[in-house]
Amino acid sequence: MSYQTLDNRKLVNQHACPTHAVVHSAAAMNVLSWLKKKKKTSDRSLPSVLFPAHDYTAPIHTWASAIQILGESKHCRLRKICHYKVTGTGSIAHHEFLLVHIRHPSGREAIGRIERSPSVPTPLPLSNIHSGTTTSDQDTISLAYDGTSECLTRHLDYAQLYTLTYSKPSEAPSVAHLAALLVTLSTHGGPTTGDGCTGEHASAWYAYCVVEVLREIFSGEGKTSKNWVRVPYNGMRVDPPDRVDILVRKYTSTWQDFSRKMENTSQHLQHDPRRQNLVAHHQQAKSGPKAEMDAFADMLRKMGS
């Protein structure tokens, strides 16, 4: 057989199977369409109390109440919590805050900014989360709407002081543990500007105590900054009731009450017919895309045979 015959046969084969090329192209488009559809469905199924669609800031008590009725709250685990200080000049210079990274069972990560401020802006409404009213709480949490910490720290110059990391999810505190701890500190109060300390001191005390109570109870891997020194309580003289060891004991009591209310809420929802219908609908919605993909995979196998 000559080279010319081989080339001609190749040419004939290329022009003889346009249908297969179109089918494969359509199959690829169907896969992309299915993946995009799946991502949108997955995003809608994520809890808004961790993954808001827009800017979200709320008092700690409001957010904790929403976490308390979140079914998967005990399965959402902290990956790390970072302690930061605002640098430079300005009205919030030396202000301290935390960024917490939370693993969701879906594999997605929620990011929140936690802080105590001298003045707190009016929180945005909680869409489909909680109907709590605006309060004057100085302890707030802001959540990343785009999955990045940049939307929580824009227009800020800041330095990292300390990081507490939990490499194993099974050994990490849950978001419910975190919510109960934040409620403990907010209810406790601690040093305030009325006691003679500055707003800088109050924010530093709050951030330091959140991290240290977590470390005392759940351990974790701590790492200090090479460029900045993290001083306990920001060097402020703290009365015994405001120290970490006392707060650990107060947290234990708060957690018992917090978890008891979670269990009561869970039992109530299990016996609620509307909840049961919602669960059945969710399971049906999950099985739909899987059946669709199985049928599509079967079609590709037949095309290849």
Side-chain angles (χ1 to χ4, degrees), residues 55-227:
D55 284 335
Y56 168 80
T57 298
I60 288 302
H61 283 276
T62 301
W63 179 76
S65 296
I67 291 296
Q68 206 165 31
I69 61 175
L70 179 65
E72 63 259 48
S73 62
K74 288 187 176 181
H75 304 290
C76 300
R77 301 282 178 163
L78 270 64
R79 185 174 71 81
K80 67 177 179 178
I81 184 166
C82 305
H83 185 172
Y84 294 95
K85 177 191 283 286
V86 176
T87 58
T89 59
S91 59
I92 60 171
H94 310 300
H95 174 73
E96 298 187 20
F97 63 94
L98 303 168
L99 287 183
V100 58
H101 298 250
I102 303 166
R103 302 182 183 97
H104 186 266
S106 66
R108 294 282 298 276
E109 184 172 277
I111 305 175
R113 172 176 163 176
I114 300 166
E115 61 198 322
R116 170 168 290 184
S117 302
S119 60
V120 176
T122 302
L124 297 175
L126 310 180
S127 176
N128 300 321
I129 299 177
H130 185 77
S131 57
T133 57
T134 300
T135 72
S136 59
D137 288 358
Q138 293 181 323
D139 303 337
T140 61
I141 182 169
S142 302
L143 297 171
Y145 61 85
D146 62 356
T148 70
S149 59
E150 283 74 15
C151 70
L152 300 173
T153 57
R154 54 179 174 257
H155 310 310
L156 283 181
D157 294 322
Y158 58 92
Q160 186 168 329
L161 304 180
Y162 188 82
T163 301
L164 184 63
T165 303
Y166 295 96
S167 302
K168 297 180 179 179
S170 60
E171 299 176 359
S174 69
V175 69
H177 288 123
L178 174 66
L181 172 57
L182 299 180
V183 167
T184 301
L185 294 185
S186 293
T187 303
H188 173 78
T192 64
T193 52
D195 296 329
C197 73
T198 65
E200 172 191 343
H201 287 139
S203 69
W205 174 88
Y206 188 78
Y208 178 84
C209 288
V210 170
V211 174
E212 289 305 306
V213 172
L214 285 174
R215 193 173 67 85
E216 281 289 324
I217 299 174
F218 300 99
S219 298
E221 304 161 20
K223 183 179 180 181
T224 57
S225 170
K226 294 181 179 179
N227 301 320

Side-chain angles (χ1 to χ4, degrees), residues 11-33:
L11 188 62
V12 169
N13 286 338
Q14 287 177 351
H15 289 283
C17 304
T19 304
H20 286 285
V22 172
V23 169
H24 281 288
S25 177
M29 292 298 293
N30 285 337
V31 169
L32 290 174
S33 176

Side-chain angles (χ1 to χ4, degrees), residues 39 47-48 84 129 205 236 250 254 292-293:
K39 183 180 184 304
S48 300
Y84 294 95
I129 299 177
W205 174 88
M236 179 178 56
K250 295 192 73 169
T254 302
E292 179 184 341
M293 194 58 185

